[in-house]
Amino acid sequence: MKTADVLIIGAGAAGLAAAVTLKENGVDKVLVVDRQEFAGGILFQCIHGGFGLHRFGEELTGPEYAQRYIVQARQQQVETLLSSHVVDILCKDHDKEVIILSQECGLVKVQAKTIILAMGCRERNRGNINIPGSRPAGIFTAGFVQKLVNLEGYMPGREYVIIGSGDIGLIMARRLTLEGAKVKAVLEIQPYPGGLERNIVQCLNDFDIPLYTSHVVTNIYGRRRVESVEVSEIMQDGNLMPKMKIPCDTLLLSVGLIPENELSITAGVSLNPATLGPTVTSDYMTNIPGIFACGNVLHVHDIVDYVSEEAAACAEAVSGFLAGRLPSEEGIPVHSGNRVKYVVPSFLKPLSDGVLKLRPVAPMKNAILKAAGDKGEVLYSRQMRRALPSEMITFSLPRVPLGCKSITVYFEV
Amino acid sequence: MACKEMTCITCPRGCRLEVEYDSSIISVKNNECKRGIQYARDEIFDPRRILTTTVKTTLKVGYLPVKTSAAIPKHLAANVILELRAITVSSPVQIGTVIMKNICGTGADIIATREVLE
């Protein structure tokens, strides 16, 4: 049987960054497994710019960002197994047995001392959000169409309606228009757009594509293929008022990402219902000793630079674990308080850098972000001019007082 | 004198600029860095964008992602796309390899953003 000190599941942004850091720390057998033919994950289909500003100080396209890490991984001689699926993880005493189906090598069993979960996300689809109407062809998620257009050279439709104004939907609105399609409208359920302002300008305004906030699709028409959608406005009282029917042949859904944790569940890893990713300590370790998680599989990120940073921190912890240096005490639980959607990690261990990452439940202006101990003593306070669910907030807690039994992160409005 | 509100797109911050101008820029407010001033000037008198798209290849990777080496006039975006439709890349490329020089007379080149060696 093959052995590994660290088996990393996923060779995307998180997996590659973790692998490089592990090698830099002198870890010997690092094996990265990915189901695609190439490493780089989602980055190669993201041909647009906006990546790397924090990490490299330059604005790069997705493929260029990926290449920076692929080159480092190559130089560090990271072993990769591509076109391979991890199908099972069995936890036996101290080691884990990972079962892989590989296109090149057939059935592969790896005995790994540690595992890093770096599988990223799946896209939320029509079934998840229950859009009424018929079930014709022509309903896709935005990321999938991005793959079809940018990697495979297909144009899956001519007249589009995009559901969701997150960045993926906005980017695709521009891409499709440049390639000759007509994007009729972008519909957003919230009263505010989901993506960056810069994308509203360069993806919608530049092409005169209308954005309708507080609007949803309430019916899909078409037997074999999408023919039109009924669009309704969400009124102040919460009722739906049908507003218009838009003829179209394709629907693009950009309605959220869901961390892909089927394998994690198989391995017995506990998930945090607020993130849909594993519950981890400040060492990025799950409830199973030796299984760690980082990147989008842990919680959905806005900027790939922060995924790389998180993966590097996770890899540092894994290096410490392998060397027997990780503190074994349980950490202090971290709770989500007023207006906080989630906080990662769920447990702060002693001697950790105290970095906490969170998102608010809704946009807020002039709120105060606070962290308090179990006796209500305020450990951190920051005035925030504005806080958005689409912008992850990161802060570090200064030394946590001795005897503190829990921490709650909350907003004061 | 005219007034315009605009969102700067130079970096993901998206500063909401207030611009006063007539035949030239009079003032720019709310920019958190210098680049916002240049952006305001360009956006009013000569709006430009960096274009990213793909070009067909006969290589293992069927479609090569490319970008313009500099921001090009916004109104020429469609022309650039059309001109790139007509070409096929058939030799190996590195990141930065020039696929086409001076696209549509803009002075900007089309450069590869992915390494494709076979």
Side-chain angles (χ1 to χ4, degrees):
Chain A
M1 198 183 318
K2 221 172 147 63
T3 58
D5 293 315
V6 190
L7 189 142
I8 302 177
I9 309 179
L16 287 174
V20 165
T21 298
L22 287 167
K23 280 294 188 177
E24 282 170 356
N25 288 350
V27 176
D28 185 20
K29 296 198 212 150
V30 177
L31 174 62
V32 186
V33 184
D34 197 288
R35 64 186 171 211
Q36 293 199 103
E37 280 172 32
F38 48 85
I42 214 73
L43 288 167
F44 279 108
Q45 67 184 60
C46 293
I47 65 167
H48 53 280
F51 304 88
L53 264 161
H54 298 270
R55 176 69 183 81
F56 298 110
E58 306 173 54
E59 187 163 319
L60 303 173
T61 59
E64 288 169 304
Y65 189 94
Q67 188 68 4
R68 299 284 170 106
Y69 281 94
I70 287 172
V71 163
Q72 285 186 67
R74 231 181 253 154
Q75 280 165 359
Q76 299 276 13
Q77 297 181 308
V78 169
E79 195 186 344
T80 53
L81 197 58
L82 300 172
S83 301
S84 303
H85 282 258
V86 174
V87 294
D88 209 352
I89 300 173
L90 306 155
C91 297
K92 311 187 147 167
D93 298 322
H94 294 293
D95 283 358
K96 291 99 186 78
E97 193 176 296
V98 183
I99 317 287
I100 302 165
L101 283 179
S102 157
Q103 190 152 72
E104 250 185 68
C105 317
L107 183 72
V108 178
K109 285 190 191 171
V110 179
Q111 194 172 318
K113 292 201 183 120
T114 58
I115 294 177
I116 297 182
L117 304 168
M119 296 88 79
C121 287
R122 284 205 183 276
E123 298 186 276
R124 190 171 271 121
N125 57 43
R126 184 215 178 153
N128 293 119
I129 60 173
N130 278 326
I131 305 178
S134 57
R135 298 196 304 265
I139 303 173
F140 301 94
T141 51
F144 179 60
V145 170
Q146 188 183 53
K147 184 176 187 167
L148 287 177
V149 174
N150 293 338
L151 296 182
E152 311 282 334
Y154 287 113
M155 176 54 84
R158 288 265 141 237
E159 300 194 335
Y160 293 73
V161 167
I162 298 180
I163 303 176
S165 65
D167 288 315
I168 306 175
L170 299 178
I171 294 287
M172 285 314 293
R174 175 177 64 181
R175 184 82 185 102
L176 292 165
T177 306
L178 283 174
E179 287 298 335
K182 180 98 182 98
V183 177
K184 300 278 192 88
V186 175
L187 310 169
E188 169 58 50
I189 193 172
Q190 300 290 353
Y192 49 86
L196 297 168
E197 269 306 308
R198 100 196 279 218
N199 285 333
I200 303 286
V201 171
Q202 63 191 3
C203 300
L204 300 188
N205 298 351
D206 272 9
F207 303 99
D208 296 318
I209 298 171
L211 166 68
Y212 299 98
T213 51
S214 301
H215 279 66
V216 290
V217 169
T218 39
N219 220 329
I220 299 176
Y221 301 100
R223 204 178 129 246
R224 290 205 140 114
R225 179 78 191 202
V226 173
E227 280 164 26
S228 65
V229 288
E230 177 191 76
V231 177
S232 302
E233 183 174 356
I234 305 173
M235 309 308 289
Q236 291 277 40
D237 56 8
N239 282 324
L240 292 169
M241 169 91 80
K243 278 305 234 0
M244 52 189 161
K245 219 169 163 186
I246 307 181
C248 54
D249 57 33
T250 315
L251 287 184
L252 229 63
L253 269 58
S254 169
V255 294
L257 298 174
I258 304 174
E260 191 179 334
N261 280 290
E262 289 105 35
L263 266 178
S264 315
I265 295 172
T266 306
V269 168
S270 306
L271 300 188
N272 176 351
T275 56
L276 297 178
T279 301
V280 293
T281 65
S282 42
D283 293 324
Y284 295 98
M285 197 160 81
T286 66
N287 58 308
I288 300 198
I291 298 189
F292 298 75
C294 61
N296 273 358
V297 81
L298 178 60
H299 60 139
V300 179
H301 288 71
D302 320 310
I303 301 180
V304 74
D305 305 53
Y306 297 147
V307 166
S308 303
E309 192 179 75
E310 183 170 277
C314 175
E316 290 292 350
V318 175
S319 309
F321 179 86
L322 288 168
R325 276 187 280 117
L326 276 199
S328 57
E329 302 96 306
E330 263 196 25
I332 308 172
V334 182
H335 301 296
S336 303
N338 185 41
R339 315 230 86 203
V340 170
K341 175 141 202 293
Y342 73 77
V343 191
V344 165
S346 302
F347 297 94
L348 263 188
K349 292 184 95 172
L351 302 177
S352 81
D353 53 12
V355 171
L356 294 175
K357 301 172 192 181
L358 67 133
R359 289 186 192 273
V361 294
M364 280 180 286
K365 279 208 168 100
N366 297 321
I368 310 175
L369 171 66
K370 285 189 168 169
D374 58 293
K375 292 178 200 63
E377 70 277 35
V378 175
L379 305 168
Y380 179 89
S381 179
R382 190 215 291 188
Q383 185 84 31
M384 298 198 69
R385 224 181 328 157
R386 65 163 202 191
L388 298 170
S390 60
E391 284 173 22
M392 192 186 298
I393 300 165
T394 304
F395 71 97
S396 302
L397 268 190
R399 200 152 297 138
V400 176
L402 223 57
C404 181
K405 296 215 191 62
S406 77
I407 293 167
T408 303
V409 180
Y410 60 98
F411 286 98
E412 241 173 42
V413 272
Chain B
M1 185 189 77
C3 265
K4 203 171 187 179
E5 255 197 17
M6 59 173 67
T7 302
C8 179
I9 62 171
T10 310
C11 87
R13 241 177 164 157
C15 299
R16 192 118 189 97
L17 309 173
E18 273 170 33
V19 187
E20 284 178 350
Y21 65 99
D22 45 41
S23 57
S24 65
I25 299 287
I26 298 171
S27 74
V28 177
K29 292 203 190 91
N30 300 334
N31 52 310
E32 303 233 359
C33 85
K34 279 196 279 189
R35 297 190 289 169
I37 303 177
Q38 185 62 45
Y39 175 78
R41 185 176 298 129
D42 288 339
E43 197 61 8
I44 294 192
F45 301 110
D46 176 28
R48 293 180 165 253
R49 300 285 186 264
I50 297 219
L51 200 69
T52 53
T53 183
T54 54
V55 173
K56 205 165 180 175
T57 79
T58 53
L59 309 166
K60 216 168 169 194
V61 169
Y63 292 85
L64 173 71
V66 296
K67 71 180 180 191
T68 52
S69 57
I72 59 162
K74 209 165 105 172
H75 68 275
L76 288 177
N79 303 58
V80 170
I81 297 284
L82 278 174
E83 195 156 320
L84 291 176
R85 281 258 178 90
I87 66 169
T88 304
V89 172
S90 43
S91 46
V93 292
Q94 304 278 1
I95 291 183
T97 300
V98 175
I99 305 298
M100 205 155 184
K101 265 196 109 43
N102 191 18
I103 188 89
C104 295
T106 59
D109 300 331
I110 298 290
I111 57 178
T113 55
R114 181 177 188 171
E115 175 187 87
V116 183
L117 300 176
E118 39 177 3

